[in-house]
Amino acid sequence: MSDPPALSRRRLLGAAGSLGLAGAFGAGATGTALAADGQGVVPVNWPALGSYSGADAAGTRVTAVLAGSARYLIGPWYAATYTHYLPDGHIDLRGTDERAVRLPAMAAVAAATALVTDVYDPRTLSAANATVRTRNLIRTLAARHLANNPDPGTRWGGGWQTALWAYYTALAGWLFWDRLDTTAQGHLVAMLVWEADRLTTGDGVHLIGTGGDQLYMTRRDGTVVTPGDSKAEEDNWSAAALSLAAAMMPCHPHTARWTRRNIELLLAAAARPADLTSGRRINGIRPASWLQGTNIADDGTLENHARLHPLYMVAFDQSLYQGFVFGLANRAAPRAALHNIDRTYAALVDKPFPLPGGGTSPIYRVDSAEIHYPEGNDWGTHFPFYFGNFDLLVSLTGQDRGISPSAAVWEQRHNEAQLSLMARFPDGRTYGAAGENTYYGREHRVGVMAGQTYLTLFLARNETGDLLRWR
C-alpha cells in the first residue's frame, strides 16, 4: 500500500497547517495551561504537548493503518451509510443498538485523530469535508443520548455496553472540541457525565447498582458466576469512560468518585487468584481486601465465549489506552491500568499449548505473524492488528520486560501483516471475505484501535520526551 500524502508532512498537534489548527485552538496556541471552559471541560492544550514526527518504524506502520482506515470510514463508509439530514439537522443513525451507535462512534475517533494530527489522507475526500462529516457523527451521537434526548424511539444509553459508546463519542469530541458549537459540547458533557455517574453506583461485586452485571467471572469462594465468560472486557471498557470523564473535567464535583471507580474497575478487570492474598497496594487500594473475585487465571490467560480466547486477552488494550487519555490532559494515569498486563503478555508469547496435529506452540507462533488459537476462534481468521496494536502498547509501557522475543519484534510482524491485508484494496479498508472477521464493525474496530494507538505513540515518542506517566 502506497504511503498517503500526509506521511510526507511533519505532524505537530496544534501547529498551523492546511487545517488551520492554530486558530482553532485559541488560547492553547500560547502553550500555557488551559482553564475549564463554560462546559467544565479543560480542552487539550496541543501546543504544550510538543510534537511527534511519526517517522520511526512502528510509527510509520501505525500511521499508514490510521490514514487508510480513517479515509475509508469517513469516505466510502460514511457516504453509503448517511445519505441525508433529518429535519432537526442531524444525520439518521437508523437505530439505537450497537450497529447504529458504536460503529459511527469508532469511526469518529479514527477520523478525528487523523484530522487533528495531520495524518488524514485527503486523496479522495478533502480535509474540510472530512471535518464536516466527523462533526456530524459526534454531534448526532451526543444529541441522541438519553441525557439529551427525551424520545424513547431514538435515544440510546443506560445499557450493558453504552459506557464504551459514550467513551468513543466523547473522546472524538474532546479531540474536536474547538470545532464543535456550544450545544454539541454541552450534549457531550451531559452524555459522559450520565454514563460515568451510573458506573459509580456499583459496589465491590456489581458493575452498576447492587444487582445485574457483576465484576467477576469467578467469586472469591470459587463459585463461577459466568462460566467461560470473563468480565475483564466489560470492566475495562467501563473504566475507560470514567478515565475520560476525569481527564476532561478535572474540577467536576464528581471527579473524585470517577477516579476511585476507575481504579476499582481496572483492578477487577485483571484480577487473578494470587491477587486475593497479595499484600501489595495499588493506587491506594489493597486488592486482597477489595477484590471479591477474579477474571483471569494466574498464568494470565482468560476465557470468553466458552474458550480460552486470545482476542479477549489483547482486549486489555483498553486499559493501556488510559496512558494517552490522561497524557492528553498532561496528567499521570493510574498504575492500576498496568496491573497483570505483563502476565497476560507472557502467556501470549511464551506459554505452550497443544497443536491439533501434535506438539505444542505458544499463541504467538514462532517466527511468524500467525496466531495459534488453542480452543479455536469464533470471530474469524484474520486479526493481525488486534495483536500488533497490543504489542505496541505493551512495548511503549514496558510490560514486556524479560519476555523474548520482545513486544517490538511482534509488533513489526503483526502490523506488517495488517498492512498486507490493507494493500489488497485501494480505499483504505482491511477486510474482504466475511470469514476473515465476522464482526459487523470490523473496519471500525481497526480504525478506533489505530487512532488510540497513534495518540499513545504521540505521547510516548514525543520530541519533548516520553509523556506517558503512571502514578
Side-chain angles (χ1 to χ4, degrees):
M1 184 174 64
S2 61
D3 288 345
L7 294 185
S8 65
R9 297 196 297 268
R10 176 177 175 81
R11 280 174 289 281
L12 175 61
L13 290 171
S18 60
L19 303 185
L21 300 185
F25 293 123
T30 65
T32 58
L34 298 181
D37 64 8
Q39 306 289 352
V41 170
V42 177
V44 179
N45 190 352
W46 299 109
L49 291 176
S51 65
Y52 168 60
S53 71
D56 57 283
T60 300
R61 288 186 285 270
V62 173
T63 298
V65 176
L66 175 58
S69 183
R71 180 164 61 88
Y72 171 76
L73 292 171
I74 209 64
W77 177 80
Y78 182 104
T81 307
Y82 307 109
T83 58
H84 64 281
Y85 290 98
L86 296 173
D88 65 359
H90 293 292
I91 56 177
D92 185 2
L93 296 178
R94 302 190 298 182
T96 60
D97 61 1
E98 180 179 0
R99 189 187 296 265
V101 180
R102 180 178 175 177
L103 271 57
M106 291 192 286
V109 172
T113 303
L115 286 162
V116 300
T117 60
D118 204 24
V119 166
Y120 179 72
D121 176 0
R123 75 175 80 172
T124 52
L125 182 72
S126 71
N129 285 333
T131 296
V132 171
R133 290 181 176 187
T134 304
R135 189 162 49 228
N136 281 341
L137 294 176
I138 295 167
R139 66 186 185 87
T140 299
L141 288 163
R144 295 294 185 252
H145 188 268
L146 59 79
N148 306 304
N149 180 16
D151 181 0
T154 61
R155 69 188 184 189
W156 64 275
W160 165 70
Q161 199 185 89
T162 58
L164 178 64
W165 309 349
Y167 163 79
Y168 288 146
T169 304
L171 173 59
W174 195 30
L175 298 174
F176 246 46
W177 195 250
D178 289 308
R179 304 180 192 195
L180 303 175
D181 61 28
T182 56
T183 298
Q185 291 175 347
H187 285 162
L188 282 164
V189 168
M191 171 197 69
L192 185 58
V193 168
W194 193 95
E195 293 285 349
D197 281 350
R198 187 170 72 110
L199 292 164
T200 64
T201 66
D203 57 23
V205 174
H206 302 95
L207 181 64
I208 295 164
T210 56
D213 295 330
Q214 299 197 28
L215 296 180
Y216 312 101
M217 183 179 83
T218 305
R219 292 179 184 158
R220 178 181 279 272
D221 65 6
T223 303
V224 180
V225 182
T226 54
D229 183 20
S230 169
K231 301 291 102 179
E233 188 186 27
E234 292 96 316
D235 291 349
N236 72 15
W237 80 40
S238 297
L242 293 159
S243 72
L244 184 59
M248 285 178 62
M249 296 172 278
C251 297
H252 192 282
H254 299 173
T255 297
R257 289 162 45 193
W258 298 335
T259 300
R260 168 75 184 199
R261 190 60 172 167
N262 177 42
I263 294 166
E264 291 175 349
L265 295 185
L266 289 170
L267 293 176
R272 64 191 185 101
D275 292 329
L276 301 178
T277 56
S278 171
R280 67 182 303 196
R281 186 180 293 273
I282 304 172
N283 292 122
I285 295 177
R286 191 182 299 278
S289 301
W290 188 84
L291 292 173
Q292 300 303 311
T294 62
N295 280 307
I296 69 174
D298 275 328
D299 64 8
T301 60
L302 61 76
E303 295 181 357
N304 220 322
H305 293 206
R307 69 194 70 206
L308 187 152
H309 214 313
L311 283 179
Y312 290 90
M313 292 167 68
V314 298
F316 280 113
D317 61 352
Q318 193 66 67
S319 296
L320 297 181
Y321 292 142
Q322 293 212 6
F324 89 78
V325 168
F326 284 97
L328 289 178
N330 198 23
R331 295 168 56 193
R335 187 163 293 277
L338 306 178
H339 186 53
N340 287 333
I341 297 295
D342 55 346
R343 293 184 178 276
T344 292
Y345 197 70
L348 291 168
V349 174
D350 291 334
K351 184 176 176 61
F353 294 92
L355 287 168
T360 64
S361 171
I363 292 170
Y364 280 13
R365 301 295 295 265
V366 176
D367 297 325
S368 171
E370 294 298 316
I371 300 297
H372 171 42
Y373 297 93
E375 298 177 9
N377 179 11
D378 54 341
W379 281 113
T381 57
H382 290 64
F383 298 86
F385 193 59
Y386 288 57
F387 295 95
N389 163 70
F390 191 59
D391 298 330
L392 185 51
L393 295 169
V394 166
S395 179
L396 294 175
T397 55
Q399 298 306 296
D400 60 340
R401 296 184 186 91
I403 298 173
S404 182
S406 70
V409 171
W410 291 111
E411 179 276 323
Q412 180 180 356
R413 290 174 182 163
H414 293 142
N415 284 343
E416 285 180 351
Q418 165 65 24
L419 293 174
S420 294
L421 291 181
M422 297 179 78
R424 301 176 298 170
F425 308 105
D427 59 6
R429 61 194 167 100
T430 296
Y431 290 106
E436 292 178 354
N437 183 339
T438 62
Y439 178 45
Y440 46 71
R442 58 190 189 169
E443 299 293 347
H444 309 73
R445 185 80 174 94
V446 169
V448 78
M449 288 189 293
Q452 293 173 100
T453 298
Y454 185 91
L455 291 169
T456 306
L457 269 169
F458 164 76
L459 289 162
R461 296 184 175 168
N462 199 276
E463 67 172 4
T464 63
D466 187 351
L467 301 179
L468 289 180
R469 304 194 306 276
W470 308 88
R471 72 173 192 274

